[in-house]
Amino acid sequence: MSSGDTRRGDGPRWTQTWLSGARSAGVDLGRPGERYGLPEQGSGSVAGYGRRLGALFLDWLASLLVAGLLVQALGWEPSQRSLLTLAIFGVQAWLLTALTGVTLGKAVLGLRTVRLDGRRVGFGWAAARAALLLLVVPALVWDRDYRGLHDRAANTIVVHR
């Protein structure tokens, strides 16, 4: 070991643990959903990134199609379609999550949004979740249970149906 090396023993250097995450430092974080008592697989288990992104894509595509139809039917400029698409996406994410816990994309991919306390998501929490989802960045910051900041704010988690 050189005099400038702070490494001790056979463990990884501090930069390796910091850059690679807590697991590389030997910390057991458990599996996603374990701390909430959710099953490892099947109905009620935490949904992974792939399905969630697929559902988001389908929801956005549906919003884009509806906005396109409305722009043509109302004679609006095509440039107005982007804002209309965002508004439609936000409204459908809010209402469908509040009423059923399932958006169109989640229904197709077998997912649903549930509150951690077992109650319905409801209009208030669904509105907060949808507003943060529209800001995009909160949805990109995930925890070990695959919950974005929008899910953490609304005390929700996305699970398999």
Side-chain angles (χ1 to χ4, degrees):
M1 210 176 336
S2 69
S3 61
D5 192 355
T6 59
R7 187 174 147 172
R8 301 184 196 277
D10 293 331
R13 295 180 61 179
W14 72 271
T15 54
Q16 291 169 324
T17 59
W18 178 70
L19 294 174
S20 301
R23 288 197 206 292
S24 66
V27 177
D28 180 19
L29 299 176
R31 62 170 174 74
E34 182 176 18
R35 63 183 168 164
Y36 301 116
L38 300 176
E40 188 171 351
Q41 296 177 355
S43 181
S45 64
V46 176
Y49 300 122
R51 279 194 165 188
R52 289 186 70 169
L53 290 174
L56 178 69
F57 175 76
L58 291 174
D59 289 338
W60 187 259
L61 184 63
S63 300
L64 189 62
L65 290 172
V66 170
L69 291 172
L70 283 175
V71 164
Q72 280 188 336
L74 299 174
W76 292 356
E77 295 294 320
S79 61
Q80 295 172 312
R81 186 178 65 205
S82 295
L83 189 56
L84 185 58
T85 301
L86 186 65
I88 290 169
F89 176 82
V91 168
Q92 70 98 11
W94 169 54
L95 287 177
L96 293 177
T97 300
L99 294 171
T100 66
V102 179
T103 63
L104 300 172
K106 286 185 176 93
V108 170
L109 293 177
L111 305 176
R112 67 185 163 134
T113 303
V114 297
R115 284 188 44 106
L116 292 174
D117 59 11
R119 293 184 297 170
R120 287 183 7 161
V121 177
F123 289 101
W125 289 117
R129 187 179 186 280
L132 289 171
L133 183 60
L134 291 176
L135 294 176
V136 178
V137 173
L140 297 175
V141 180
W142 299 63
D143 66 11
R144 67 183 178 188
D145 296 304
Y146 305 148
R147 294 173 66 215
L149 291 178
H150 63 303
D151 282 317
R152 292 177 61 96
N155 201 29
T156 59
I157 193 165
V158 178
V159 298
H160 293 102
R161 284 194 292 151

